[in-house]
Amino acid sequence: MMITLARAAGVPARIASVYALGVEPQDFHAVAEIFLGGEWHLVDATGMAEEGAMAKIGVGRDAADVSFLTVFGTAVMNGQSVKVAAA
């Protein structure tokens, strides 16, 4: 919604997939990236993460551009482990 409203107001915006400190479970988290003052800013509309606590994984026009997996046919998840820590 934030991306749509920003674009409607004439502000460039895109979706970003991030890892963020404090988000549970630690997995991909979708946030808006808004272009203001000559630079892109990550904005989490959920309030779960602050800009400085996010590691950007990918950006795009919509969720299809930043999907971390596309599967055709049968797929089985064998396991997953993600750990995000402050530097």
Side-chain angles (χ1 to χ4, degrees), residues 1-68:
M1 181 62 77
M2 178 178 280
I3 294 167
T4 301
L5 293 173
R7 288 175 179 170
V11 177
R14 59 191 182 190
I15 189 171
S17 181
V18 302
Y19 281 122
L21 289 173
V23 174
E24 292 294 333
Q26 288 189 338
D27 201 350
F28 286 100
H29 185 58
V31 298
E33 194 167 35
I34 310 295
F35 192 76
L36 293 172
E39 53 187 36
W40 289 97
H41 298 275
L42 293 169
V43 180
D44 182 5
T46 68
M48 295 171 68
E50 296 180 19
E51 183 174 14
M54 292 185 249
K56 192 177 347 176
I57 305 301
V59 295
R61 297 165 295 176
D62 55 33
D65 282 349
V66 293
S67 64
F68 70 95

